[in-house]
Amino acid sequence: MFDYIVVGAGSAGCVMANRLTEDGSSVLLLEAGKWDRDPLIHIPVGIGKIFPERLHDWGYFMEPDPGLDGRGIECARGKVVGGSSSINVMVYVRGHAGDYDRWAANGATGWSYADVLPYFKKSERWEHGGDAYRGGSGPLHTQETRYRDPILDSFIRAGAEAGYPTTADYNGAHQEGFGPVQSTIHSGRRWSSADAYLRPALKRRSLRVETQAVAHQLIIEQGRATGVRYSRRGTEHIARARREVILCGGVIDSPKLLMLSGIGDPEQLRALGIPVQVAAPGVGTNFQDHLSVITVHGRTDPAPFEQAMRYDRLAISMLNSLLSRESFAGDVPIGATAFLKSESGETLPDIQFLFLAAPFPAKPWLKPFIRPVPNTFGCRVALLRPESRGTVRLASADPAAAPLIEPCFLQAEGDRERLRKGVRMARSVMSQDAMRPHTGSEILPGDARQTDDEIDAFIRSNAVTVHHPAGTCKMGGAGDASRVVDPQLRVCGVEGLRVVDASIMPDLVGGNINAVVMMIAEKAADMVLGKTTAQTSAASAEAEVAL
């Protein structure tokens, strides 16, 4: 028996475990994966092996998608302590202030930018210190890129030459524009949610962590969630919660567990022989993700990345990173980004560039990744706010079966149009004078693809996820028939049960989402503990002044 059971020790679950045990409350934290002891997790450049080989990952694949020429693309989700924050590329982005004001206007009361900014600040330890926008004393270390390559500065200058703005801090007053990447890295090591939140809490006797513990079903009695049935190393267990069960399993596994427990679309549940506990047709719907394509170019000048990848140099660099010394291995070559509007009339930036100053595979969608082509670099063009919506459904009532992930990418014409414009925008930037000392021929899409139809065909056959799925347990107001949780993140129709992860997002924010998930968990912890906004009023007032 525990006060709280948290299912999932990922980006959100580690935050919840820390905050809920601060006052001595007992917490059981269940994680399906193992402890994050693999050195590759903690060395930032180790991502180059983690992703291609699907290490510490659930191994999910999306269903064949008509919008992608029938391809079923991978859907990497962390299965390890720290979750996806232990296997992601560590880019720190909060999204645009307008994202949260849109959430609030559409029924997510209490989630405006002024409401969430104090929690971003509470979470963060920005290397340049706190100000009206940034946090200086939180547990999550963030820093500007340490990666050094002249092509990064050239890329930012090329953006200005193409007529786009620049921004010194896309997480500050102005997101729009070209600028250096910010990352969750500290002293040459990845700084995951496990590092920031879980490890400091492990000394508390009130916290118990069980790894390799796969949740099978929620125990619901008289309309209240009272426990979790799970298996660990072949043995089934039942844990009970006095106060609440909190799902932090992520966009795929939180709706999966709800449906396995009889909370979902009644027709689908009955077809699988699952007794219906709560009719909640919104569970598993509203799936959305940032889709992207990569423009790849030849490089004419020496690339620091390729020089540093010589085995002897790399070995020394990786050792330095493990010893918390800054080195080449202590960062990733995604050193610059941009948030841009595909049309001047757009309210918010709807396209993101992520610039990779390293060799790219000629066919980057393949698994396993083929050997990169030497002397190349790439620009990932991502669609930030897709209109298309997909679903996550159960394949069977067997908890061990992977769910069916149907992304429905590019169903909306607006998505196809914006991503096509994004490709043209990237081409324009690459053609500027600032890039000429570095840029050779265009490998992808290739000079032969110029018309709308040709670019669309390139997108359909090459697009991949940026690994930012969201929305499958949608947060909404009382009048929203598709909502799964209310603005307090309580599951509608069940007492003592909340969902706290990216699945509650009503729609996607403009950028990488890991920072957003930790913010959501910080705010959720205050909700669970009954802390009022008055306890963050000073920070909120500061935010209002800044706005």
PDB file of all heavy atoms in Angstrom, residues 359-392:
ATOM      1  N   PRO A 359      27.474  13.796 -41.277  1.00  0.00           N
ATOM      2  CA  PRO A 359      27.044  13.003 -42.435  1.00  0.00           C
ATOM      3  C   PRO A 359      25.669  12.387 -42.235  1.00  0.00           C
ATOM      4  O   PRO A 359      25.312  11.962 -41.143  1.00  0.00           O
ATOM      5  CB  PRO A 359      28.121  11.911 -42.523  1.00  0.00           C
ATOM      6  CG  PRO A 359      29.296  12.476 -41.826  1.00  0.00           C
ATOM      7  CD  PRO A 359      28.754  13.327 -40.726  1.00  0.00           C
ATOM      8  N   PHE A 360      24.913  12.349 -43.313  1.00  0.00           N
ATOM      9  CA  PHE A 360      23.575  11.772 -43.302  1.00  0.00           C
ATOM     10  C   PHE A 360      23.544  10.542 -44.183  1.00  0.00           C
ATOM     11  O   PHE A 360      24.203  10.485 -45.215  1.00  0.00           O
ATOM     12  CB  PHE A 360      22.563  12.778 -43.861  1.00  0.00           C
ATOM     13  CG  PHE A 360      21.667  13.357 -42.823  1.00  0.00           C
ATOM     14  CD1 PHE A 360      21.903  14.613 -42.301  1.00  0.00           C
ATOM     15  CD2 PHE A 360      20.573  12.644 -42.372  1.00  0.00           C
ATOM     16  CE1 PHE A 360      21.064  15.154 -41.349  1.00  0.00           C
ATOM     17  CE2 PHE A 360      19.730  13.175 -41.417  1.00  0.00           C
ATOM     18  CZ  PHE A 360      19.975  14.423 -40.900  1.00  0.00           C
ATOM     19  N   PRO A 361      22.727   9.536 -43.807  1.00  0.00           N
ATOM     20  CA  PRO A 361      22.496   8.430 -44.740  1.00  0.00           C
ATOM     21  C   PRO A 361      21.813   8.945 -46.003  1.00  0.00           C
ATOM     22  O   PRO A 361      21.019   9.883 -45.950  1.00  0.00           O
ATOM     23  CB  PRO A 361      21.559   7.506 -43.959  1.00  0.00           C
ATOM     24  CG  PRO A 361      21.720   7.896 -42.537  1.00  0.00           C
ATOM     25  CD  PRO A 361      22.028   9.365 -42.545  1.00  0.00           C
ATOM     26  N   ALA A 362      22.099   8.341 -47.115  1.00  0.00           N
ATOM     27  CA  ALA A 362      21.443   8.734 -48.357  1.00  0.00           C
ATOM     28  C   ALA A 362      19.957   8.397 -48.322  1.00  0.00           C
ATOM     29  O   ALA A 362      19.151   9.040 -48.978  1.00  0.00           O
ATOM     30  CB  ALA A 362      22.103   8.032 -49.545  1.00  0.00           C
ATOM     31  N   LYS A 363      19.595   7.360 -47.523  1.00  0.00           N
ATOM     32  CA  LYS A 363      18.188   6.988 -47.351  1.00  0.00           C
ATOM     33  C   LYS A 363      17.902   6.935 -45.850  1.00  0.00           C
ATOM     34  O   LYS A 363      17.899   5.875 -45.231  1.00  0.00           O
ATOM     35  CB  LYS A 363      17.904   5.648 -48.025  1.00  0.00           C
ATOM     36  CG  LYS A 363      18.092   5.681 -49.539  1.00  0.00           C
ATOM     37  CD  LYS A 363      17.756   4.344 -50.168  1.00  0.00           C
ATOM     38  CE  LYS A 363      17.911   4.412 -51.684  1.00  0.00           C
ATOM     39  NZ  LYS A 363      17.589   3.105 -52.325  1.00  0.00           N
ATOM     40  N   PRO A 364      17.659   8.094 -45.209  1.00  0.00           N
ATOM     41  CA  PRO A 364      17.603   8.154 -43.746  1.00  0.00           C
ATOM     42  C   PRO A 364      16.401   7.477 -43.125  1.00  0.00           C
ATOM     43  O   PRO A 364      16.331   7.366 -41.918  1.00  0.00           O
ATOM     44  CB  PRO A 364      17.579   9.673 -43.481  1.00  0.00           C
ATOM     45  CG  PRO A 364      17.046  10.275 -44.727  1.00  0.00           C
ATOM     46  CD  PRO A 364      17.533   9.407 -45.840  1.00  0.00           C
ATOM     47  N   TRP A 365      15.428   7.018 -43.921  1.00  0.00           N
ATOM     48  CA  TRP A 365      14.250   6.389 -43.351  1.00  0.00           C
ATOM     49  C   TRP A 365      14.435   4.886 -43.126  1.00  0.00           C
ATOM     50  O   TRP A 365      13.570   4.228 -42.564  1.00  0.00           O
ATOM     51  CB  TRP A 365      13.061   6.615 -44.280  1.00  0.00           C
ATOM     52  CG  TRP A 365      13.251   5.977 -45.636  1.00  0.00           C
ATOM     53  CD1 TRP A 365      12.846   4.746 -46.030  1.00  0.00           C
ATOM     54  CD2 TRP A 365      13.917   6.560 -46.746  1.00  0.00           C
ATOM     55  NE1 TRP A 365      13.218   4.514 -47.316  1.00  0.00           N
ATOM     56  CE2 TRP A 365      13.885   5.612 -47.794  1.00  0.00           C
ATOM     57  CE3 TRP A 365      14.551   7.794 -46.976  1.00  0.00           C
ATOM     58  CZ2 TRP A 365      14.449   5.866 -49.043  1.00  0.00           C
ATOM     59  CZ3 TRP A 365      15.110   8.026 -48.212  1.00  0.00           C
ATOM     60  CH2 TRP A 365      15.063   7.077 -49.226  1.00  0.00           C
ATOM     61  N   LEU A 366      15.546   4.316 -43.610  1.00  0.00           N
ATOM     62  CA  LEU A 366      15.734   2.878 -43.514  1.00  0.00           C
ATOM     63  C   LEU A 366      16.071   2.458 -42.085  1.00  0.00           C
ATOM     64  O   LEU A 366      16.631   3.224 -41.310  1.00  0.00           O
ATOM     65  CB  LEU A 366      16.855   2.421 -44.449  1.00  0.00           C
ATOM     66  CG  LEU A 366      16.577   2.507 -45.948  1.00  0.00           C
ATOM     67  CD1 LEU A 366      17.783   2.016 -46.707  1.00  0.00           C
ATOM     68  CD2 LEU A 366      15.346   1.690 -46.341  1.00  0.00           C
ATOM     69  N   LYS A 367      15.730   1.223 -41.747  1.00  0.00           N
ATOM     70  CA  LYS A 367      16.119   0.634 -40.470  1.00  0.00           C
ATOM     71  C   LYS A 367      16.655  -0.766 -40.752  1.00  0.00           C
ATOM     72  O   LYS A 367      15.987  -1.560 -41.393  1.00  0.00           O
ATOM     73  CB  LYS A 367      14.939   0.540 -39.524  1.00  0.00           C
ATOM     74  CG  LYS A 367      15.330  -0.132 -38.195  1.00  0.00           C
ATOM     75  CD  LYS A 367      14.124  -0.466 -37.361  1.00  0.00           C
ATOM     76  CE  LYS A 367      14.544  -1.215 -36.111  1.00  0.00           C
ATOM     77  NZ  LYS A 367      15.088  -2.527 -36.350  1.00  0.00           N
ATOM     78  N   PRO A 368      17.850  -1.106 -40.250  1.00  0.00           N
ATOM     79  CA  PRO A 368      18.735  -0.164 -39.565  1.00  0.00           C
ATOM     80  C   PRO A 368      19.320   0.872 -40.516  1.00  0.00           C
ATOM     81  O   PRO A 368      19.345   0.657 -41.710  1.00  0.00           O
ATOM     82  CB  PRO A 368      19.843  -1.071 -39.010  1.00  0.00           C
ATOM     83  CG  PRO A 368      19.875  -2.216 -39.970  1.00  0.00           C
ATOM     84  CD  PRO A 368      18.440  -2.444 -40.388  1.00  0.00           C
ATOM     85  N   PHE A 369      19.755   1.979 -39.982  1.00  0.00           N
ATOM     86  CA  PHE A 369      20.288   3.037 -40.832  1.00  0.00           C
ATOM     87  C   PHE A 369      21.493   2.503 -41.616  1.00  0.00           C
ATOM     88  O   PHE A 369      22.348   1.806 -41.060  1.00  0.00           O
ATOM     89  CB  PHE A 369      20.738   4.230 -39.999  1.00  0.00           C
ATOM     90  CG  PHE A 369      19.614   5.042 -39.442  1.00  0.00           C
ATOM     91  CD1 PHE A 369      18.292   4.665 -39.607  1.00  0.00           C
ATOM     92  CD2 PHE A 369      19.876   6.202 -38.749  1.00  0.00           C
ATOM     93  CE1 PHE A 369      17.261   5.411 -39.090  1.00  0.00           C
ATOM     94  CE2 PHE A 369      18.850   6.963 -38.215  1.00  0.00           C
ATOM     95  CZ  PHE A 369      17.553   6.570 -38.380  1.00  0.00           C
ATOM     96  N   ILE A 370      21.546   2.849 -42.875  1.00  0.00           N
ATOM     97  CA  ILE A 370      22.708   2.467 -43.663  1.00  0.00           C
ATOM     98  C   ILE A 370      23.864   3.411 -43.350  1.00  0.00           C
ATOM     99  O   ILE A 370      23.683   4.442 -42.720  1.00  0.00           O
ATOM    100  CB  ILE A 370      22.380   2.498 -45.169  1.00  0.00           C
ATOM    101  CG1 ILE A 370      22.014   3.914 -45.610  1.00  0.00           C
ATOM    102  CG2 ILE A 370      21.276   1.525 -45.508  1.00  0.00           C
ATOM    103  CD1 ILE A 370      21.803   4.030 -47.110  1.00  0.00           C
ATOM    104  N   ARG A 371      25.033   3.041 -43.792  1.00  0.00           N
ATOM    105  CA  ARG A 371      26.232   3.832 -43.489  1.00  0.00           C
ATOM    106  C   ARG A 371      26.089   5.234 -44.083  1.00  0.00           C
ATOM    107  O   ARG A 371      25.755   5.401 -45.252  1.00  0.00           O
ATOM    108  CB  ARG A 371      27.465   3.148 -44.075  1.00  0.00           C
ATOM    109  CG  ARG A 371      28.776   3.817 -43.684  1.00  0.00           C
ATOM    110  CD  ARG A 371      29.955   3.009 -44.211  1.00  0.00           C
ATOM    111  NE  ARG A 371      31.212   3.626 -43.821  1.00  0.00           N
ATOM    112  CZ  ARG A 371      31.813   3.439 -42.662  1.00  0.00           C
ATOM    113  NH1 ARG A 371      31.255   2.660 -41.763  1.00  0.00           N
ATOM    114  NH2 ARG A 371      32.961   4.015 -42.381  1.00  0.00           N
ATOM    115  N   PRO A 372      26.340   6.272 -43.279  1.00  0.00           N
ATOM    116  CA  PRO A 372      26.207   7.633 -43.795  1.00  0.00           C
ATOM    117  C   PRO A 372      27.141   7.916 -44.963  1.00  0.00           C
ATOM    118  O   PRO A 372      28.232   7.345 -45.066  1.00  0.00           O
ATOM    119  CB  PRO A 372      26.585   8.494 -42.579  1.00  0.00           C
ATOM    120  CG  PRO A 372      26.360   7.614 -41.401  1.00  0.00           C
ATOM    121  CD  PRO A 372      26.692   6.237 -41.856  1.00  0.00           C
ATOM    122  N   VAL A 373      26.696   8.791 -45.839  1.00  0.00           N
ATOM    123  CA  VAL A 373      27.518   9.225 -46.961  1.00  0.00           C
ATOM    124  C   VAL A 373      28.523  10.256 -46.449  1.00  0.00           C
ATOM    125  O   VAL A 373      28.128  11.250 -45.834  1.00  0.00           O
ATOM    126  CB  VAL A 373      26.650   9.828 -48.076  1.00  0.00           C
ATOM    127  CG1 VAL A 373      27.524  10.331 -49.210  1.00  0.00           C
ATOM    128  CG2 VAL A 373      25.637   8.804 -48.579  1.00  0.00           C
ATOM    129  N   PRO A 374      29.822  10.058 -46.651  1.00  0.00           N
ATOM    130  CA  PRO A 374      30.812  11.027 -46.145  1.00  0.00           C
ATOM    131  C   PRO A 374      30.609  12.410 -46.764  1.00  0.00           C
ATOM    132  O   PRO A 374      30.036  12.560 -47.843  1.00  0.00           O
ATOM    133  CB  PRO A 374      32.147  10.418 -46.569  1.00  0.00           C
ATOM    134  CG  PRO A 374      31.856   8.980 -46.844  1.00  0.00           C
ATOM    135  CD  PRO A 374      30.452   8.920 -47.329  1.00  0.00           C
ATOM    136  N   ASN A 375      31.082  13.407 -46.028  1.00  0.00           N
ATOM    137  CA  ASN A 375      31.088  14.786 -46.520  1.00  0.00           C
ATOM    138  C   ASN A 375      29.695  15.267 -46.899  1.00  0.00           C
ATOM    139  O   ASN A 375      29.466  15.817 -47.972  1.00  0.00           O
ATOM    140  CB  ASN A 375      32.031  14.919 -47.720  1.00  0.00           C
ATOM    141  CG  ASN A 375      33.450  14.519 -47.385  1.00  0.00           C
ATOM    142  OD1 ASN A 375      33.966  14.877 -46.329  1.00  0.00           O
ATOM    143  ND2 ASN A 375      34.068  13.748 -48.262  1.00  0.00           N
ATOM    144  N   THR A 376      28.765  15.067 -45.982  1.00  0.00           N
ATOM    145  CA  THR A 376      27.405  15.575 -46.186  1.00  0.00           C
ATOM    146  C   THR A 376      26.929  16.252 -44.908  1.00  0.00           C
ATOM    147  O   THR A 376      27.494  16.067 -43.827  1.00  0.00           O
ATOM    148  CB  THR A 376      26.423  14.455 -46.555  1.00  0.00           C
ATOM    149  OG1 THR A 376      26.450  13.454 -45.526  1.00  0.00           O
ATOM    150  CG2 THR A 376      26.769  13.827 -47.898  1.00  0.00           C
ATOM    151  N   PHE A 377      25.884  17.037 -45.021  1.00  0.00           N
ATOM    152  CA  PHE A 377      25.193  17.614 -43.872  1.00  0.00           C
ATOM    153  C   PHE A 377      23.722  17.709 -44.241  1.00  0.00           C
ATOM    154  O   PHE A 377      23.343  17.529 -45.408  1.00  0.00           O
ATOM    155  CB  PHE A 377      25.758  18.983 -43.489  1.00  0.00           C
ATOM    156  CG  PHE A 377      25.571  20.043 -44.535  1.00  0.00           C
ATOM    157  CD1 PHE A 377      24.418  20.820 -44.565  1.00  0.00           C
ATOM    158  CD2 PHE A 377      26.545  20.277 -45.498  1.00  0.00           C
ATOM    159  CE1 PHE A 377      24.243  21.803 -45.539  1.00  0.00           C
ATOM    160  CE2 PHE A 377      26.379  21.250 -46.472  1.00  0.00           C
ATOM    161  CZ  PHE A 377      25.223  22.019 -46.489  1.00  0.00           C
ATOM    162  N   GLY A 378      22.890  17.967 -43.245  1.00  0.00           N
ATOM    163  CA  GLY A 378      21.456  17.976 -43.527  1.00  0.00           C
ATOM    164  C   GLY A 378      20.694  19.011 -42.738  1.00  0.00           C
ATOM    165  O   GLY A 378      21.153  19.502 -41.696  1.00  0.00           O
ATOM    166  N   CYS A 379      19.512  19.321 -43.238  1.00  0.00           N
ATOM    167  CA  CYS A 379      18.592  20.218 -42.546  1.00  0.00           C
ATOM    168  C   CYS A 379      17.247  19.506 -42.439  1.00  0.00           C
ATOM    169  O   CYS A 379      16.609  19.216 -43.455  1.00  0.00           O
ATOM    170  CB  CYS A 379      18.438  21.533 -43.302  1.00  0.00           C
ATOM    171  SG  CYS A 379      17.288  22.691 -42.510  1.00  0.00           S
ATOM    172  N   ARG A 380      16.855  19.200 -41.231  1.00  0.00           N
ATOM    173  CA  ARG A 380      15.551  18.567 -41.002  1.00  0.00           C
ATOM    174  C   ARG A 380      14.485  19.644 -40.988  1.00  0.00           C
ATOM    175  O   ARG A 380      14.568  20.617 -40.232  1.00  0.00           O
ATOM    176  CB  ARG A 380      15.556  17.796 -39.692  1.00  0.00           C
ATOM    177  CG  ARG A 380      14.198  17.283 -39.278  1.00  0.00           C
ATOM    178  CD  ARG A 380      14.293  16.257 -38.171  1.00  0.00           C
ATOM    179  NE  ARG A 380      14.554  14.936 -38.716  1.00  0.00           N
ATOM    180  CZ  ARG A 380      14.629  13.839 -37.969  1.00  0.00           C
ATOM    181  NH1 ARG A 380      14.492  13.907 -36.661  1.00  0.00           N
ATOM    182  NH2 ARG A 380      14.855  12.666 -38.539  1.00  0.00           N
ATOM    183  N   VAL A 381      13.472  19.478 -41.839  1.00  0.00           N
ATOM    184  CA  VAL A 381      12.360  20.424 -41.963  1.00  0.00           C
ATOM    185  C   VAL A 381      11.154  19.782 -41.305  1.00  0.00           C
ATOM    186  O   VAL A 381      10.653  18.751 -41.768  1.00  0.00           O
ATOM    187  CB  VAL A 381      12.064  20.731 -43.442  1.00  0.00           C
ATOM    188  CG1 VAL A 381      10.927  21.735 -43.566  1.00  0.00           C
ATOM    189  CG2 VAL A 381      13.315  21.234 -44.155  1.00  0.00           C
ATOM    190  N   ALA A 382      10.672  20.363 -40.213  1.00  0.00           N
ATOM    191  CA  ALA A 382       9.584  19.765 -39.443  1.00  0.00           C
ATOM    192  C   ALA A 382       8.338  20.640 -39.501  1.00  0.00           C
ATOM    193  O   ALA A 382       8.410  21.870 -39.409  1.00  0.00           O
ATOM    194  CB  ALA A 382      10.007  19.572 -37.991  1.00  0.00           C
ATOM    195  N   LEU A 383       7.187  19.986 -39.629  1.00  0.00           N
ATOM    196  CA  LEU A 383       5.885  20.644 -39.581  1.00  0.00           C
ATOM    197  C   LEU A 383       5.448  20.714 -38.127  1.00  0.00           C
ATOM    198  O   LEU A 383       5.264  19.678 -37.474  1.00  0.00           O
ATOM    199  CB  LEU A 383       4.868  19.858 -40.409  1.00  0.00           C
ATOM    200  CG  LEU A 383       3.434  20.349 -40.390  1.00  0.00           C
ATOM    201  CD1 LEU A 383       3.313  21.707 -41.066  1.00  0.00           C
ATOM    202  CD2 LEU A 383       2.523  19.321 -41.070  1.00  0.00           C
ATOM    203  N   LEU A 384       5.249  21.933 -37.598  1.00  0.00           N
ATOM    204  CA  LEU A 384       5.079  22.103 -36.163  1.00  0.00           C
ATOM    205  C   LEU A 384       3.659  21.859 -35.651  1.00  0.00           C
ATOM    206  O   LEU A 384       3.483  21.330 -34.562  1.00  0.00           O
ATOM    207  CB  LEU A 384       5.540  23.506 -35.740  1.00  0.00           C
ATOM    208  CG  LEU A 384       7.045  23.747 -35.804  1.00  0.00           C
ATOM    209  CD1 LEU A 384       7.378  25.147 -35.328  1.00  0.00           C
ATOM    210  CD2 LEU A 384       7.796  22.714 -34.970  1.00  0.00           C
ATOM    211  N   ARG A 385       2.652  22.272 -36.374  1.00  0.00           N
ATOM    212  CA  ARG A 385       1.279  22.154 -35.857  1.00  0.00           C
ATOM    213  C   ARG A 385       0.391  21.455 -36.879  1.00  0.00           C
ATOM    214  O   ARG A 385      -0.410  22.084 -37.556  1.00  0.00           O
ATOM    215  CB  ARG A 385       0.730  23.531 -35.485  1.00  0.00           C
ATOM    216  CG  ARG A 385       1.477  24.154 -34.310  1.00  0.00           C
ATOM    217  CD  ARG A 385       0.988  25.523 -33.926  1.00  0.00           C
ATOM    218  NE  ARG A 385       1.848  26.065 -32.892  1.00  0.00           N
ATOM    219  CZ  ARG A 385       3.016  26.673 -33.144  1.00  0.00           C
ATOM    220  NH1 ARG A 385       3.427  26.817 -34.399  1.00  0.00           N
ATOM    221  NH2 ARG A 385       3.751  27.125 -32.156  1.00  0.00           N
ATOM    222  N   PRO A 386       0.519  20.138 -36.986  1.00  0.00           N
ATOM    223  CA  PRO A 386      -0.236  19.408 -37.996  1.00  0.00           C
ATOM    224  C   PRO A 386      -1.742  19.443 -37.731  1.00  0.00           C
ATOM    225  O   PRO A 386      -2.186  19.455 -36.578  1.00  0.00           O
ATOM    226  CB  PRO A 386       0.303  17.979 -37.874  1.00  0.00           C
ATOM    227  CG  PRO A 386       0.790  17.892 -36.454  1.00  0.00           C
ATOM    228  CD  PRO A 386       1.328  19.253 -36.129  1.00  0.00           C
ATOM    229  N   GLU A 387      -2.497  19.438 -38.806  1.00  0.00           N
ATOM    230  CA  GLU A 387      -3.951  19.336 -38.707  1.00  0.00           C
ATOM    231  C   GLU A 387      -4.396  17.879 -38.679  1.00  0.00           C
ATOM    232  O   GLU A 387      -5.466  17.560 -38.154  1.00  0.00           O
ATOM    233  CB  GLU A 387      -4.602  20.049 -39.896  1.00  0.00           C
ATOM    234  CG  GLU A 387      -4.264  21.527 -40.019  1.00  0.00           C
ATOM    235  CD  GLU A 387      -4.776  22.123 -41.322  1.00  0.00           C
ATOM    236  OE1 GLU A 387      -5.753  21.574 -41.886  1.00  0.00           O
ATOM    237  OE2 GLU A 387      -4.196  23.114 -41.786  1.00  0.00           O
ATOM    238  N   SER A 388      -3.625  16.985 -39.275  1.00  0.00           N
ATOM    239  CA  SER A 388      -3.993  15.571 -39.366  1.00  0.00           C
ATOM    240  C   SER A 388      -3.975  14.922 -37.979  1.00  0.00           C
ATOM    241  O   SER A 388      -3.164  15.270 -37.122  1.00  0.00           O
ATOM    242  CB  SER A 388      -3.024  14.832 -40.282  1.00  0.00           C
ATOM    243  OG  SER A 388      -2.980  15.432 -41.566  1.00  0.00           O
ATOM    244  N   ARG A 389      -4.878  13.957 -37.793  1.00  0.00           N
ATOM    245  CA  ARG A 389      -4.992  13.257 -36.522  1.00  0.00           C
ATOM    246  C   ARG A 389      -5.065  11.753 -36.748  1.00  0.00           C
ATOM    247  O   ARG A 389      -5.732  11.280 -37.666  1.00  0.00           O
ATOM    248  CB  ARG A 389      -6.247  13.709 -35.758  1.00  0.00           C
ATOM    249  CG  ARG A 389      -6.246  15.186 -35.350  1.00  0.00           C
ATOM    250  CD  ARG A 389      -5.223  15.447 -34.259  1.00  0.00           C
ATOM    251  NE  ARG A 389      -5.281  16.816 -33.747  1.00  0.00           N
ATOM    252  CZ  ARG A 389      -4.585  17.835 -34.234  1.00  0.00           C
ATOM    253  NH1 ARG A 389      -3.760  17.638 -35.265  1.00  0.00           N
ATOM    254  NH2 ARG A 389      -4.682  19.030 -33.699  1.00  0.00           N
ATOM    255  N   GLY A 390      -4.373  11.010 -35.898  1.00  0.00           N
ATOM    256  CA  GLY A 390      -4.385   9.559 -35.981  1.00  0.00           C
ATOM    257  C   GLY A 390      -4.932   8.934 -34.720  1.00  0.00           C
ATOM    258  O   GLY A 390      -5.570   9.590 -33.891  1.00  0.00           O
ATOM    259  N   THR A 391      -4.656   7.641 -34.536  1.00  0.00           N
ATOM    260  CA  THR A 391      -5.185   6.906 -33.390  1.00  0.00           C
ATOM    261  C   THR A 391      -4.164   5.905 -32.866  1.00  0.00           C
ATOM    262  O   THR A 391      -3.261   5.466 -33.582  1.00  0.00           O
ATOM    263  CB  THR A 391      -6.462   6.119 -33.757  1.00  0.00           C
ATOM    264  OG1 THR A 391      -6.155   5.177 -34.781  1.00  0.00           O
ATOM    265  CG2 THR A 391      -7.562   7.051 -34.223  1.00  0.00           C
ATOM    266  N   VAL A 392      -4.341   5.543 -31.599  1.00  0.00           N
ATOM    267  CA  VAL A 392      -3.658   4.409 -30.980  1.00  0.00           C
ATOM    268  C   VAL A 392      -4.750   3.465 -30.498  1.00  0.00           C
ATOM    269  O   VAL A 392      -5.619   3.867 -29.715  1.00  0.00           O
ATOM    270  CB  VAL A 392      -2.769   4.846 -29.799  1.00  0.00           C
ATOM    271  CG1 VAL A 392      -2.211   3.632 -29.065  1.00  0.00           C
ATOM    272  CG2 VAL A 392      -1.637   5.740 -30.280  1.00  0.00           C
TER     273      VAL A 392
END
